[in-house]
Amino acid sequence: MAVTQQLARIPAERLAFCHKSAGESPDGDPHWDPPTADVLDLDWAPALLESVCELGGLDDVHLNALRHSTEGDTAIDLGFLNTHPHAIGPFGPAPTALPAAQVARVSELLWQIDLPALLTALPTEETEAVSLIGGPALIVGGLRKYLLDHFDALREFYHDASQRRLLVVLRWD
């Protein structure tokens, strides 16, 4: 199975429960199991979206919001989610998170990004466009559709998290 970007939106209380559970469990099990409806698999889209936004000339404020949406922040200690044998992201960097206030700001800024306009900076020839942004040789359905679908899913995910005042945990798995 390929390593892909995974996001989960959860209440702060649930994260506190997982932290406590990891500390009290003999084997450090945090009982991490967010509902499927609150998990998003971004596949390999984060780096490709960032490349397209850079090529399209997206301003720093919005580009940083996009980066935060896929990289998180280290302000929340998630070490307990990264311990063997129950690590939630054993194949990539340590899990990170965004607190609810940052989720709200990121959500607002993501909705201001016009990805279709930024995609016009890509060459029209698919293979050339994929090569330019460093994507895999074959993207089923086409590069632009792939990027739009994943970006729309990311925006919707953050919008819902913002509306529900949830934090977002990010990991590669």
Side-chain angles (χ1 to χ4, degrees):
M1 181 185 292
V3 177
T4 61
Q5 172 85 65
Q6 306 287 314
L7 285 74
R9 53 188 174 214
I10 63 170
E13 299 80 19
R14 175 68 186 163
L15 190 62
F17 167 81
C18 290
H19 191 274
K20 181 178 178 188
S21 180
E24 293 175 351
S25 171
D27 65 351
D29 187 354
H31 294 95
W32 173 260
D33 192 22
T36 305
D38 286 323
V39 174
L40 175 64
D41 183 343
L42 277 182
D43 200 39
W44 302 298
L48 302 178
L49 287 168
E50 185 176 335
S51 291
V52 165
C53 290
E54 287 173 345
L55 283 170
L58 186 65
D59 65 90
D60 287 344
V61 170
H62 290 89
L63 188 57
N64 285 333
L66 176 66
R67 286 180 182 135
H68 266 94
S69 75
T70 60
E71 294 174 6
D73 192 337
T74 57
I76 297 175
D77 176 20
L78 298 178
F80 65 94
L81 291 175
N82 199 34
T83 55
H84 182 73
H86 303 289
I88 69 166
F91 303 113
T96 61
L98 286 178
Q102 284 185 323
V103 166
R105 180 67 177 144
V106 163
S107 175
E108 177 185 329
L109 291 168
L110 288 176
W111 280 96
Q112 296 170 7
I113 297 173
D114 184 356
L115 189 64
L118 295 168
L119 288 170
T120 63
L122 290 177
T124 54
E125 208 288 307
E126 183 87 4
T127 319
E128 194 178 326
V130 169
S131 176
L132 182 63
I133 64 170
L138 175 66
I139 296 178
V140 177
L143 176 65
R144 286 165 178 78
K145 181 178 180 345
Y146 175 87
L147 292 172
L148 284 169
D149 288 352
H150 283 83
F151 184 71
D152 288 345
L154 180 67
R155 286 198 313 189
E156 289 292 336
F157 188 84
Y158 269 91
H159 176 73
D160 184 66
S162 174
Q163 294 298 113
R164 294 167 52 200
R165 293 177 177 79
L166 301 176
L167 58 84
V168 173
V169 173
L170 304 99
R171 65 186 171 107
W172 284 89
D173 197 12

